[in-house]
Amino acid sequence: MYRFLLTPRWWGINVFVLLAIPFCVFMGSWQLSRFESRVDDHRDAKAQAESNREETARPLAELLPVDKATSGKRVTASGRYGKQLLVPDRELDGKDGYYVLTLLRTDGGKALPVVRGWLPGKADSADAPAPPSGEVTVTGALQASEQPGDNGVSAQGGLPAGQTAAISAASLINLVPYDVYDAWVTLDTADAGMTTVPVSAAPDTGLDLKAFQNLGYTGEWFVFAGFVVFMWFRLLRREVEFVRDAALGIVPEEAAVSVAHDEATTPVR
């Protein structure tokens, strides 16, 4: 009855199933490992954030470029404040508001974006405190440049003059007349009248949407593997029933001839 399994058509089906199942299991396992890696990175990032608060601030040059190891570490830099911008649509403690971002022109010639604090409401340059004049030294947490569209960072364009959606060298290059560091700093203590902006997690270390996408893909691949097995058994059952019906003569003559031809061309073992 099961000699049809040796026909060319079923050889193709069987080979496909034997290849598809381990492939789906492998891909599901890989996606699961990616999720577990992100969980470990999130745990490590939290531990690092605790230790960063206890560390002594280091010069900016020692911590660049920003990566997972240096993001969130306390940094110090000196210079003079220059152009000031507002970063709208930033939420803090469940309230809508905006960051006050001021470019610190360092002795090295480049400007360091410094978030001096957060204010509630709609972005309004009239409400943003002016930066201190003269030479200043700032101390805060080093942060990686933001990517529009990620982690709540707005990707909208067409903002009013004096505003930027993301804090990054790429976003600021057309807004200020000098070179900008590919990093930014949030002050340990906000300037008077503003609220301190908390430190953000390093890129790809949080349990964000991407992490849970990995978990979702894990389930999908294992479902695919189960579906392949289900369909193989379903096809097998249909074929067995078809062969039985053909043997009893209760299937159309054309189908019976086709089954007889398959059985005739299948080698007997």
Side-chain angles (χ1 to χ4, degrees):
M1 181 178 298
Y2 293 95
R3 287 172 59 192
F4 63 83
L5 291 173
L6 300 177
T7 60
R9 182 169 71 91
W10 271 93
W11 267 107
I13 294 174
N14 292 336
V15 169
F16 172 79
V17 170
L18 290 175
L19 293 176
I21 292 175
F23 177 76
C24 291
V25 171
F26 169 78
M27 291 300 297
S29 300
W30 180 76
Q31 289 288 351
L32 181 60
S33 69
R34 292 288 298 162
F35 174 74
E36 292 174 342
S37 177
R38 288 179 178 273
V39 171
D40 292 338
D41 286 344
H42 178 65
R43 188 182 300 113
D44 293 342
K46 290 183 65 176
Q48 180 176 313
E50 294 294 331
S51 64
N52 287 342
R53 283 193 283 267
E54 307 299 327
E55 292 183 0
T56 302
R58 295 161 58 186
L60 176 65
E62 295 182 8
L63 298 176
L64 295 177
V66 186
D67 54 23
K68 290 182 181 180
T70 60
S71 179
K73 288 189 176 296
R74 297 181 69 240
V75 66
T76 182
S78 299
R80 293 175 177 270
Y81 278 125
K83 188 176 181 61
Q84 181 159 288
L85 301 166
L86 305 181
V87 187
D89 302 321
R90 296 303 175 106
E91 186 177 291
L92 185 62
D93 296 331
K95 299 178 180 179
D96 293 330
Y98 58 97
Y99 294 168
V100 177
L101 174 70
T102 311
L103 279 298
L104 179 72
R105 303 195 65 179
T106 65
D107 297 334
K110 283 188 174 182
L112 175 66
V114 177
V115 173
R116 296 171 46 235
W118 175 90
L119 290 172
K122 291 186 177 181
D124 188 344
S125 57
D127 295 332
S133 60
E135 187 79 11
V136 297
T137 297
V138 300
T139 302
L142 187 64
Q143 302 279 257
S145 287
E146 298 178 332
Q147 299 298 321
D150 288 348
N151 300 324
V153 178
S154 175
Q156 69 174 338
L159 292 174
Q163 296 186 19
T164 179
I167 309 173
S168 69
S171 299
L172 297 172
I173 192 170
N174 295 321
L175 301 178
V176 296
Y178 27 77
D179 292 336
V180 179
Y181 282 106
D182 192 20
W184 58 283
V185 169
T186 174
L187 296 182
D188 287 344
T189 303
D191 285 347
M194 294 185 285
T195 303
T196 301
V197 174
V199 181
S200 302
D204 297 324
T205 59
L207 292 180
D208 53 11
L209 178 60
K210 291 182 179 178
F212 289 101
Q213 281 178 339
N214 290 133
L215 188 60
Y217 294 151
T218 298
E220 287 182 1
W221 281 111
F222 285 122
V223 168
F224 290 158
F227 180 74
V228 170
V229 175
F230 167 76
M231 289 303 298
W232 186 86
F233 277 106
R234 183 173 181 180
L235 288 174
L236 177 67
R237 182 177 178 182
R238 284 184 58 188
E239 196 79 12
V240 169
E241 292 176 348
F242 190 81
V243 171
R244 287 176 178 170
D245 291 345
L248 296 174
I250 57 176
V251 295
E253 183 177 350
E254 296 81 2
V257 170
S258 176
V259 172
H261 177 268
D262 287 344
E263 292 183 349
T265 56
T266 301
V268 180
R269 300 185 179 181

